[in-house]
Amino acid sequence: MQRLTNKRVVLGVTGSVAAYKAGEVIRELQRAGAEVRVVMTRGAEAFVAPLTFQALSGHPVHRELLDPGAEAAMGHIALARWADCILVAPASADFLARLAAGRADDLLTAVCLARGVPLALAPAMNARMWEDAATRANVQTLRNRGVLFLGPEEGGQACGEEGPGRLLDPVVLAARLGELFEVGSLQGRRVLVTAGPTREPLDPVRFFSNRSSGRMGFAVAAAAAEAGARVTLVAGPVALEAPDRVERVDVTTAEEMLAAVSRFAPEADVFISAAAVADYRPREVRPGKIKRTGESLTVELVPNPDILATVKSRWPQVFCVGFAAETGDLDRHARAKLAAKGVELIAANLVGPAAPEAGGVFDAEDNALTLYWEGGSMELGLAPKDKLARALVAAIAQRLAAWEAGGGGTVVSLHRR
Ligand code: C5P
């Protein structure tokens, strides 16, 4: 399981011969789902070139405390705020001493001092240095301040001696770091969400669209990320900021939305189709602006692809959730939609005059949903959209587990995982 999904880890690398193993640590953290930014001390640079870690982490390595350029991009306070945890691997004897003394005379010590998040240290040094009274005292001081020590291991050392001082295995390091965080109900799952309306052009200045604000879909994407999922959000034209830790892809038309969804669906565990996709588009987009003539105008509309039904038929291993906005007879319409689209779950709500208490729902703060699946249903009462989204995600996680236990999603996922 990817215990570090959506977690941001600052990896500090200090001057120890084990610095070369920090590359493997980056890889294991990424494999566990984390995003990694590397901070190197001067001592570390004597062992490994920063470019190595830049290539592995995909981001420039942070090195200087008093570099105006670097500080403007992401200074020590910003780095400390960005992180969900800090791991220093390897942590040298000198680094432990400087941290214990509360120094902040290089970037890594300054970031550690400015943090409000857990700090874990993976020491690596000569066994005698680890057992020296000064190092023992520093370790005790740091432990008393709540710093977590991971390792060191016993064994043969680079200097030829035997004893405690080897860097803990990177796989174990990543696993132990993951234990710092709670496991969410969709931990490590890949979730694809669509949100907002689509816009279907008629001419260069006009289009057909609808009143969807995208707020429900954005709230669902945020809630899924909060539950530990890796979320991709395919959004139509909306005036909303992307939720934190969510990958956003912007589209305009239904056909663009289908193309974007088709790129991510093969890897997805769950598809949540919250977009209000335009059912029709003009057969032709006029090249020039349509002029007013005083005559009536007929525009021929052709059906758009049904994105949800397409995903379910092309990638049956994906657990699919559809929305149904109805003006009445919720049960009947939702059950019909469940069957017609072949999806695992329908989240249905009343819209328009039938839902006055939710302000007609579009662009409203509150919403109420009833969930339908084969053989069951469940009401999620009127609530703010973000609260409702969390309840919906919890219900999706439950239904997903039941579906998988019943054999759903297994055939292809055996090959995928
Ligand atoms: O059939 P109806 O439009 O009522 O179904 C609504 C559900 O189907 C929603 O989940 C919506 O996102 C999805 N849908 C779609 N592509 C369409 C129309 C609807 O994915 N062209």
Side-chain angles (χ1 to χ4, degrees):
M1 180 197 291
Q2 289 196 310
R3 289 197 66 136
L4 291 172
T5 301
N6 297 337
K7 294 291 179 266
R8 293 165 172 162
V9 181
V10 164
L11 175 67
V13 184
T14 71
S16 152
V17 67
Y20 77 93
K21 293 186 186 165
E24 259 179 82
V25 176
I26 295 172
R27 280 267 186 259
E28 289 308 323
L29 293 172
Q30 288 171 333
R31 216 165 267 156
E35 189 183 341
V36 183
R37 297 286 167 91
V38 179
V39 177
M40 288 178 84
T41 63
R42 248 186 232 309
E45 287 183 40
F47 290 94
V48 186
L51 203 57
T52 306
F53 298 146
Q54 174 172 325
L56 290 172
S57 69
H59 295 279
V61 169
H62 302 266
R63 295 148 67 191
E64 302 293 339
L65 177 59
L66 300 174
D67 171 350
E71 278 284 302
M74 202 189 217
H76 63 289
I77 303 292
L79 260 173
R81 281 197 191 132
W82 175 86
D84 294 307
C85 71
I86 301 173
L87 168 67
V88 182
S92 67
D94 178 63
F95 181 74
L96 300 187
R98 292 193 301 119
L99 201 60
R103 306 286 301 245
D105 55 354
D106 70 359
L107 182 60
L108 186 55
T109 47
V111 170
C112 287
L113 218 54
R115 81 187 187 281
V117 293
L119 170 62
L121 306 180
M125 64 193 73
N126 168 275
R128 285 166 194 264
M129 290 170 85
W130 174 250
E131 282 167 347
D132 184 86
T135 305
R136 310 275 9 105
N138 290 333
V139 169
Q140 199 50 54
T141 302
L142 292 167
R143 279 207 172 110
N144 291 347
R145 289 184 198 146
V147 173
L148 175 69
F149 277 83
L150 303 174
E153 281 183 327
E154 298 244 356
Q157 299 207 295
C159 52
E161 292 184 22
E162 287 272 331
R166 285 167 59 89
L167 184 74
L168 199 60
D169 181 76
V171 176
V172 180
L173 263 181
R176 296 278 309 276
L177 202 69
E179 288 167 9
L180 290 178
F181 300 100
E182 275 182 33
V183 173
S185 62
L186 288 176
Q187 192 67 43
R189 301 289 198 158
R190 282 178 191 256
V191 174
L192 177 61
V193 183
T194 61
T198 65
R199 235 178 230 180
E200 310 299 331
L202 174 62
D203 70 15
V205 293
R206 302 186 180 93
F207 54 79
F208 288 92
S209 192
N210 59 65
R211 290 173 55 200
S212 166
S213 68
R215 280 159 71 172
M216 192 63 216
F218 273 57
V220 169
E226 215 176 84
R230 295 167 65 182
V231 182
T232 304
L233 172 62
V234 178
V238 292
L240 295 172
E241 295 248 334
D244 206 15
R245 298 160 210 249
V246 164
E247 180 189 12
R248 174 177 181 168
V249 179
D250 285 312
V251 296
T252 305
T253 65
E255 287 181 307
E256 285 172 19
M257 186 172 272
L258 177 59
V261 162
S262 300
R263 269 197 290 139
F264 297 101
E267 298 298 321
D269 295 297
V270 178
F271 174 48
I272 305 173
S273 181
V277 185
D279 289 322
Y280 295 92
R281 67 177 184 278
R283 178 180 288 282
E284 56 160 339
V285 183
R286 314 280 176 97
K289 186 178 167 190
I290 299 171
K291 295 281 182 238
R292 183 158 56 91
T293 61
E295 298 292 308
S296 64
L297 174 72
T298 303
V299 176
E300 191 185 351
L301 299 175
V302 294
N304 264 331
D306 185 324
I307 298 172
L308 179 57
T310 306
V311 168
K312 190 66 235 181
S313 69
R314 278 197 207 154
W315 298 285
Q317 79 278 10
V318 181
F319 184 93
C320 285
V321 183
F323 278 73
E326 306 294 343
T327 47
D329 211 350
L330 209 55
D331 280 37
R332 192 165 59 83
H333 289 303
R335 292 249 169 245
K337 212 154 281 184
L338 198 62
K341 304 204 186 221
V343 298
E344 281 64 46
L345 194 71
I346 287 282
N349 62 318
L350 288 170
V351 290
E357 76 282 13
V361 174
F362 290 115
D363 216 11
E365 276 295 337
D366 290 359
N367 198 358
L369 291 173
T370 309
L371 309 185
Y372 296 87
W373 61 91
E374 204 186 305
S377 72
M378 170 187 191
E379 284 203 18
L380 306 177
L382 191 68
K385 283 180 178 170
D386 55 346
K387 203 167 161 209
L388 197 64
R390 285 194 203 106
L392 174 60
V393 162
I396 288 172
Q398 267 184 12
R399 295 310 317 156
L400 172 65
W403 185 64
E404 287 179 339
T410 47
V411 181
V412 182
S413 60
L414 275 178
H415 298 286
R416 272 189 315 137
R417 294 211 176 95

